[in-house]
Amino acid sequence: MNSIRSLKLWIVSALLVMIPILGYNSYAQVQSEFDQDLQTLLNNLENCNCIYIRNGSEYTALQARQHMELKMKSSRGMISTIPNFIKHIATKSSMTGIPYLIKFKDGKTIESSVWLTDQWEILKKSKLNNQ
């Protein structure tokens, strides 16, 4: 009887140790996937051959990327999904509320949230097709 009780106690103790570790591994995997997706999205922005308009001023795509990376750093890890990144970091000025715009070589201008959401949808479909 004591050996069964000892075995049960050992199993419960092992589970109490393993559950947080397994949970952390799942979180780390999700965070890693988010980081990879974010880098892909920012790479797409940097290479889109467009002008980024923030508060009425024009910036290169590289400057736009750097600005968003700075805003991400300032968010102190509070953003952990691409939709939240688009909504809270890449859509509008946090100071003025003015939407960010992307202007293409042909003169077409759209809100950054629309373009980034489209890019996110393309990335998600690409990931599904590669599974």
Side-chain angles (χ1 to χ4, degrees):
M1 236 12 183
N2 275 343
S3 62
I4 291 175
R5 177 177 266 163
S6 295
L7 180 59
K8 286 181 180 178
L9 184 59
W10 183 86
I11 290 172
V12 169
S13 298
L15 286 173
L16 289 174
V17 169
M18 293 303 293
I19 288 172
I21 292 170
L22 293 174
Y24 174 77
N25 286 340
S26 296
Y27 169 78
Q29 182 179 5
V30 168
Q31 187 63 32
S32 176
E33 185 175 346
F34 165 71
D35 291 338
Q36 290 172 2
D37 291 345
L38 180 60
Q39 290 309 309
T40 299
L41 203 59
L42 291 173
N43 288 342
N44 290 352
L45 172 64
E46 184 178 344
N47 296 312
C48 77
N49 202 18
C50 61
I51 300 295
Y52 208 75
I53 303 171
R54 181 168 44 96
N55 293 323
S57 298
E58 294 186 353
Y59 299 89
T60 66
L62 174 60
Q63 289 171 315
R65 178 192 183 128
Q66 291 168 337
H67 178 73
M68 287 183 200
E69 288 173 335
L70 182 64
K71 284 180 75 172
M72 275 297 291
K73 188 176 181 180
S74 296
S75 76
R76 295 179 182 88
M78 294 174 57
I79 305 295
S80 60
T81 68
I82 297 298
N84 280 341
F85 166 77
I86 294 170
K87 180 178 180 181
H88 298 290
I89 301 293
T91 295
K92 63 184 178 181
S93 169
S94 55
M95 301 293 280
T96 65
I98 297 172
Y100 297 149
L101 304 172
I102 296 178
K103 183 166 82 174
F104 299 96
K105 291 289 180 184
D106 65 3
K108 179 182 174 186
T109 303
I110 62 171
E111 290 190 6
S112 64
S113 61
V114 172
W115 187 83
L116 289 166
T117 300
D118 289 347
Q119 292 296 305
W120 172 231
E121 292 301 321
I122 292 167
L123 177 60
K124 287 191 307 187
K125 287 178 185 173
S126 173
K127 288 169 59 173
L128 284 175
N129 290 335
N130 290 330
Q131 288 182 347

